[in-house]
Each structure stands twice: as structure tokens, then as C-alpha cells.
Amino acid sequence: MSLQINANVQNLKQKLFYFLNNKDFINAEKLIKKLLIIDKSDATLWHLKSVIHHNLGDIEQCRVALKKSLKLDPKLIPALQNQAKLLKQDGNVKQAITAHNKILSIDKNNLDSLYNLGVLFNRNRQSNDALSVLNKANQLKQNDLKISIAIGQTYLHLNLLLKAQHFFEQALKIQPNSTPALNNLGLVFKKKCLYKEAIACFIKALSLTPGNSDITKNLASCYTLIGDIEKSKCLYQQLLDKAPLDIDAHNWLNKMLWEHADTDFLKSYQLAMKSNSGNSELEYSYALKLKQSENIELAEDVLKNLLQRDKKHLNSLLELSSITNEQSKFDQSVSFAKEADKIKSNAFEVKLALGKSLLSVGEYNKALSMLNKLLKQQPNHQGLLAYKTVALRGLNDAEYDYLCDYEKFILSAHIDLPAGFHNLSEFNHSLAAQLRTIHLAKSHPLDQSLISGSQTSENLFDYHLPIIKTLFLSLKEQTSEFLSKLPKDSIHPLLARNTQRFVESDSWSVLLNNSGYHKNHYHSAGWMSSCYYVQVPKTIIANSEQQGWINFGEPGFNMAEKLSSEISIEPQAGLMVQFPSYFWHGTTPFNSDEQRITTPYDIVPI
């Protein structure tokens, strides 16, 4: 009798695998029920039941079956892999990482988990951990398409572009028509400012997957960067015709339209809102663009109308806190931040907004307490340090002078004369001429500190232009000299990180026109920040009103009791000024037909 039952079970299992292989999950579900009536203690059957429910879209039943499977056999690798997959789909990255690590504790060479763990580490920005597991996967299975692409993406995250390029090109040798490899290789070329090569990659990738949203945006951005605005505009509009709720496409399209003074600025939002009335995310994004383009009152109206419909829309509350602060409606600013805090009190961005609003009304002790708690979580966050200095200054606390020792921490010097030039004036003249060729925008960016001018988009030092490379080497040399002069202090948030070894985290060029200036700000991506003056208008030099000078210490947000700048430095062509990234700084507007041209850059220690 038992032999006959066993034979029947084997027959049913063969049919089950036939249904699974042919993706006939409805019949597979019927069959798995029969098998589990015969044997409810088979962990593999419960795992297969979870797979069937997952493919049928019944996630709850999938979880139930998976839980039973792992209770019967906690080390069943296929079930553990299914669990990790579910956790990843739910956005529980840390738990998914734990699940894959459990699999690797059972089978250290499990290729699937090594690969997926690398992907999850990349998503979590744990690039070094990703490299470790992906390199092991690569050793176990060389010339694998997915693994090569994942390693390339890791190097791309680390900004190690040559290594990233190698792995994407290796992937294309394995599969010449791999869309992910082509798209990622295009991103490498874009970051290297090789736009012609990037465009070729994106066009080929789109020929293989027509209409792909991410690749289309990448291609459009390249056209923007070479000044072909009509092609870029056309691509974004094609995307929005198909997907009018693509917030990312609206964002990039309207940033471009603003910088090129196009009269279609904001029209994509207005058109989309007519056919998608009441979409909170669309209205919020539209309000942001209104605010950034100085249409403050309309932005406020849009957000308040949104909140009447969606009272717990967190980002709208935070943005209204910022807008009302700009309008000197300080009590309202605090009120909006407190409302946001009621909804999500443990959110970093909420506590930061609340701290800022408290600073604006002179509640320095409360703000300081809040900022110090956040700094325990993120001690190197430049924004937190910047806001903390405001609280300390408001309290007349000695720690302010400790953090903001302008005499010691602002370093300035003329760079050494680069090889091949007779004097710095000749070098700067050639550099200014080259920089003008990559300043293509007609207006300042929507989301940066400058007013009346333009800013380059990609990392300046990634441009394959000889004079830019010469500039980078000169600034790097001067930076090394600056860092060697800083005092030592093992607990200071600036000095404790000074290893005297560093990498560039961002670089760009700014061209200011008549009446141009920088609003007060700090640099979130840096540890130390620098500004090199390429060209300075004659009216700035020894100007009694300090027009065009760089000022330090004045906060970049509105306050009931104003805090003025503490120190100002006169810019000079050939001068490099370096300072902590958390220092508040901005410039005074200047009057001149000559342009003020600079090349700022940020560094972080290694």
C-alpha cells in the first residue's frame, strides 16, 4: 500500500513540476493542495506552494506557506531565497541582507545569494561590501552578464569610472545587445563628459527597448549638456505624453526650460494637472518649481489647497514651513514644522525642519538639543553642523568660536603658476575662455545658490580638456598645502577627519553676470570646500561696498533677529580660498559688465 502511495506521490510531483515549468500556476495550485493532504510535513512542498501563490499574486498566502516551510526546515535554501526576494520587494533591504547572509552561512558559495547580496548592498550604498561579495561571485562564475553589470554599477557608485567602464564593456562582449550594460556604459561616458559616446550608447539601448523611461531621460540629459535643447525637450515631452505623472520627467524638463529661458516653463505640469486633478505628488512638484522660480505666493496657495485634501502630506507641511519662513511668518513656519512632527516625529528631515524653524524664532536651546541628537546619528552631516553654529552663536556659546574659528579655518593663497604659462593672468585668461564654452545655460539653476548667472552641470574636473586637468592639479596641490597647516584636534568635527588625504566629491564652475551673487548656503557634499577665482571684475577690487566679496557667517535662512556676516574676503584672480563645508557663506551683489568666474570644488577625506 505504501509503495502504491509513494508512486502516486511521485507521479503527482512530476505533474506539478510540469505545470511549474510551463507557468501553469492555476493547475499547479490544485495539485499542490492534493500533495499537501498526503504529506503536510514536506517543507519543499510548502515552499513550492509559496512560489505558486507568489506568481498568482496572492502575497499573503505566499507568506503563510513560506512561514510553514521554514518552520519545518529553517535551512531550506530555496525557501530562504524566496523569503529574501519578498523582503526586497517590500523594501526591507536590511532584512533581505540578513536573509541572504543566513543562506551564505549555510552555503558560502551560493552564487544567487552572493549576487543578490551585492545588488542589495549597492541599493544601500554599501559599495565596499558589494564589491566584496560580487568579486567572490565573479571568481565562482567568470564572464557572467549579471555579475559583470553589478560590479560595474558598484564602481560607478564609487566614481571609479575606468573600472566601471571595463566591466560594462566586458558585459557587452558577453551580450552585445544588453540594454542594462549599454545604459550603464552611457552613464560612465556621461560622467566622464564624453557626451558623443554617451549619446551613442543611449540611442542603441533605446533601439533595443523603445520608450524605456530611464534611458530616454539619460539621453535627454546628454542633449541638454551639449546645448541641443530642442532634442532634449522633445524627448521629455514624448515621455510625458505617455506618462503624464512621471514626476522625474517634469522635474528635469522644467529645470532645463528655466535655465534656457523657454516660455514653456511649467506648462507640462499645468497640462498634466488638467487631466490628473487632485494628484498630490504632481501638485507638490509643481509647487516646488513655483517656489524655486520665486513665485512664492502661488506656491503657498497650491500647497495649502493640497493640504485641504490631503491633511497629512508631509512634504507639503515641510515646504510650507520653509515658505512661511521666507515670508517672515515665523509662527506659521514653526506651526507647520510641528504638524509634520506629529505625523512622523522620528524622520530626520522633519526634525531638521523643526530645528530650523525654532532657530528662526530664537528658540536656540530647544533647537540645539534637537540638532545634537541628530548629530549623534550623523556626526559628519554638514547641514546639521551649519545649523548648530547658528544656535551656538545665538546663545553666545564659546563652542561657536571652536567650530567657526574663521582665522584658522579659512585658508587663502594664490596658486602656483601652472607649467606652460608665463604668468597667472595668462593662465586665467585661457581658463576663462575655455569655461565659457561649457556654460551653455542662459539663466541660473533653479535649485542652487547663485542668482544672475550660470553653473555647469557635471563634475568640472571630469571634462577631458587639458586646461581643466591643469587647473585640477594646481588646486589639488594647493589643497594639500592648506590641509597640512590645519591644527590637530581629535574631537573637532573638521579637524578630527583631517587625514591629509582626500578625494574630490564635487566640482563645478560659476559665471556671475551684472548684479549676480550667491545666496548664503553651506556645501552638503563636502568636508572642505574651495573657490578659485578665475576672473574678477575691476569694480570689485578694493570696493568700499565690498561688492562681489565672499562673506562668512550669515545664515542662509530668514530669522526674526538677523545675524550678519562675521568676515569678508576680497576675491582676486588667481586666489584660492578654502573653508569648512559647514561654514555659512555667500557673496555681495556687484555692478559690472564684466563677469565674475569661479571654479569651486568640494573634497572629503579618505
Side-chain angles (χ1 to χ4, degrees):
M1 184 69 177
S2 61
L3 288 173
Q4 186 178 352
I5 292 173
N6 189 50
N8 187 38
V9 168
Q10 292 303 316
N11 184 43
L12 289 173
K13 283 184 177 180
Q14 285 179 2
K15 285 184 179 180
L16 175 63
F17 287 118
Y18 173 81
F19 289 142
L20 290 172
N21 289 332
N22 286 279
K23 302 187 185 304
D24 184 353
F25 299 110
I26 293 174
N27 281 316
E29 183 187 20
K30 293 175 183 176
L31 203 54
I32 201 80
K33 286 179 180 177
K34 292 179 181 179
L35 284 164
L36 284 169
I37 289 171
I38 297 170
D39 186 359
K40 290 184 179 180
S41 62
D42 190 325
T44 300
L45 286 177
W46 283 107
H47 159 62
L48 292 174
K49 181 176 172 62
S50 76
V51 171
I52 291 165
H53 284 301
H54 189 271
N55 281 282
L56 290 171
D58 191 345
I59 303 302
E60 282 309 307
Q61 285 300 312
C62 170
R63 293 183 203 281
V64 170
L66 191 59
K67 187 176 180 180
K68 288 184 178 179
S69 173
L70 288 171
K71 186 176 181 180
L72 289 165
D73 185 354
K75 293 185 177 182
L76 183 63
I77 286 178
L80 288 168
Q81 287 173 328
N82 200 18
Q83 182 187 53
K85 183 179 178 181
L86 280 174
L87 289 167
K88 179 184 174 184
Q89 287 178 348
D90 291 342
N92 296 321
V93 174
K94 288 184 179 179
Q95 291 179 45
I97 287 172
T98 300
H100 281 298
N101 276 324
K102 184 174 181 180
I103 293 168
L104 291 171
S105 71
I106 300 165
D107 176 9
K108 65 180 181 179
N109 292 329
N110 187 284
L111 197 64
D112 182 76
S113 278
L114 287 168
Y115 167 75
N116 280 297
L117 193 54
V119 170
L120 289 165
F121 279 140
N122 269 334
R123 183 182 289 189
N124 223 27
R125 294 295 176 184
Q126 294 172 250
S127 300
N128 291 326
D129 292 326
L131 270 184
S132 176
V133 292
L134 289 170
N135 281 333
K136 184 173 181 180
N138 194 41
Q139 290 170 2
L140 292 169
K141 189 178 182 183
Q142 294 183 357
N143 297 320
D144 179 86
L145 179 66
K146 290 198 307 181
I147 294 170
S148 295
I149 291 172
I151 295 175
Q153 287 172 328
T154 310
Y155 282 123
L156 189 55
H157 293 159
L158 290 166
N159 208 37
L160 297 172
L161 301 182
L162 286 175
K163 289 185 176 181
Q165 182 176 339
H166 166 77
F167 278 95
F168 294 137
E169 288 175 343
Q170 178 176 291
L172 288 167
K173 287 178 183 176
I174 300 166
Q175 174 50 267
N177 289 333
S178 167
T179 301
L182 283 164
N183 183 47
N184 279 289
L185 183 59
L187 290 173
V188 169
F189 286 137
K190 182 188 170 192
K191 284 181 76 81
K192 292 171 76 174
C193 303
L194 298 171
Y195 301 124
K196 181 180 176 182
E197 291 85 347
I199 287 169
C201 286
F202 295 138
I203 287 175
K204 185 175 180 182
L206 275 176
S207 73
L208 297 165
T209 54
N212 181 285
S213 174
D214 288 337
I215 301 171
T216 302
K217 289 172 196 172
N218 290 335
L219 178 58
S221 70
C222 281
Y223 283 131
T224 300
L225 289 164
I226 64 171
D228 197 337
I229 304 309
E230 287 307 311
K231 280 186 180 176
S232 179
K233 184 177 176 179
C234 182
L235 286 168
Y236 284 127
Q237 287 177 335
Q238 285 174 11
L239 282 175
L240 290 169
D241 286 343
K242 295 177 183 176
L245 296 180
D246 188 334
I247 306 299
D248 196 42
H250 282 290
N251 175 44
W252 288 110
L253 170 62
N254 285 282
K255 278 186 177 182
M256 180 198 69
L257 295 176
W258 168 265
E259 288 188 34
H260 291 273
D262 193 302
T263 55
D264 284 339
F265 176 63
L266 296 182
K267 285 185 181 177
S268 71
Y269 284 110
Q270 293 157 359
L271 186 64
M273 287 190 294
K274 282 182 182 179
S275 55
N276 296 276
S277 178
N279 185 283
S280 296
E281 297 313 310
L282 185 64
E283 290 178 10
Y284 170 73
S285 182
Y286 174 56
L288 273 187
K289 292 293 173 288
L290 288 169
K291 179 197 171 190
Q292 291 166 347
S293 57
E294 302 296 326
N295 199 339
I296 302 295
E297 290 183 2
L298 183 54
E300 182 182 12
D301 289 344
V302 171
L303 291 171
K304 284 183 175 178
N305 286 335
L306 192 164
L307 282 172
Q308 285 182 351
R309 186 182 65 253
D310 187 355
K311 290 181 172 57
K312 293 189 176 181
H313 194 269
L314 188 69
N315 286 332
S316 290
L317 288 166
L318 296 177
E319 204 54 50
L320 278 168
S321 177
S322 175
I323 286 173
T324 48
N325 170 269
E326 288 185 29
Q327 297 170 321
S328 298
K329 301 173 184 176
F330 298 113
D331 290 341
Q332 286 188 41
S333 176
V334 174
S335 178
F336 281 122
K338 286 182 175 178
E339 280 300 309
D341 193 50
K342 289 177 186 176
I343 295 167
K344 200 171 182 181
S345 62
N346 61 341
F348 177 88
E349 67 275 15
V350 171
K351 290 299 184 188
L352 184 56
L354 182 55
K356 175 183 168 182
S357 68
L358 291 171
L359 288 174
S360 71
V361 295
E363 295 277 1
Y364 298 122
N365 277 312
K366 287 182 181 178
L368 183 60
S369 175
M370 197 171 292
L371 292 165
N372 279 333
K373 287 178 183 177
L374 292 175
L375 277 164
K376 286 181 180 179
Q377 301 170 30
Q378 298 189 42
N380 298 327
H381 192 286
Q382 300 303 296
L384 292 176
L385 291 168
Y387 287 111
K388 179 177 178 175
T389 65
V390 177
L392 294 171
R393 185 177 171 187
L395 292 167
N396 200 26
D397 192 307
E399 191 181 353
Y400 173 73
D401 294 322
Y402 177 66
L403 292 179
C404 296
D405 192 329
Y406 296 111
E407 188 175 332
K408 287 182 182 177
F409 298 161
I410 299 176
L411 305 160
S412 63
H414 284 81
I415 64 168
D416 291 337
L417 178 64
F421 296 90
H422 294 98
N423 51 56
L424 268 182
S425 179
E426 181 188 350
F427 170 71
N428 286 327
H429 182 78
S430 298
L431 177 58
Q434 182 69 80
L435 290 171
R436 285 191 183 94
T437 67
I438 57 176
H439 275 274
L440 301 176
K442 297 176 183 177
S443 181
H444 60 265
L446 277 173
D447 52 359
Q448 299 297 329
S449 68
L450 68 143
I451 299 295
S452 186
S454 64
Q455 179 171 316
T456 54
S457 299
E458 298 299 292
N459 262 13
L460 179 66
F461 297 150
D462 285 338
Y463 277 87
H464 287 254
L465 299 167
I467 198 165
I468 300 295
K469 297 301 179 188
T470 300
L471 171 69
F472 175 57
L473 292 174
S474 295
L475 298 187
K476 189 176 181 181
E477 184 178 319
Q478 187 62 62
T479 295
S480 295
E481 185 179 332
F482 281 157
L483 296 183
S484 69
K485 293 179 179 178
L486 288 172
K488 298 186 185 303
D489 187 327
S490 61
I491 60 172
H492 194 286
L494 171 75
L495 303 175
R497 299 176 67 195
N498 185 16
T499 62
Q500 298 189 34
R501 295 170 60 243
F502 60 91
V503 292
E504 165 225 347
S505 56
D506 203 0
S507 58
W508 61 101
S509 172
V510 172
L511 188 156
L512 290 180
N513 296 314
N514 184 38
S515 75
Y517 67 99
H518 285 274
K519 293 181 281 188
N520 292 303
H521 63 289
Y522 59 88
H523 289 197
S524 58
W527 161 68
M528 290 287 279
S529 299
S530 302
C531 183
Y532 176 71
Y533 295 94
V534 181
Q535 178 176 302
V536 176
K538 294 182 184 66
T539 56
I540 286 179
I541 301 167
N543 186 288
S544 60
E545 297 174 354
Q546 299 186 348
Q547 290 185 17
W549 289 30
I550 184 170
N551 312 307
F552 293 92
E554 182 177 351
F557 60 99
N558 199 10
M559 299 181 71
E561 293 184 14
K562 311 297 182 190
L563 297 176
S564 60
S565 62
E566 300 265 75
I567 186 172
S568 299
I569 295 176
E570 177 186 353
Q572 300 170 26
L575 184 73
M576 177 178 172
V577 179
Q578 185 166 301
F579 48 90
S581 298
Y582 62 78
F583 272 14
W584 291 103
H585 61 287
T587 68
T588 307
F590 67 93
N591 297 314
S592 175
D593 291 333
E594 294 180 279
Q595 294 170 325
R596 180 184 186 273
I597 304 176
T598 56
T599 57
Y601 89 117
D602 294 333
I603 61 169
V604 290
I606 54 174

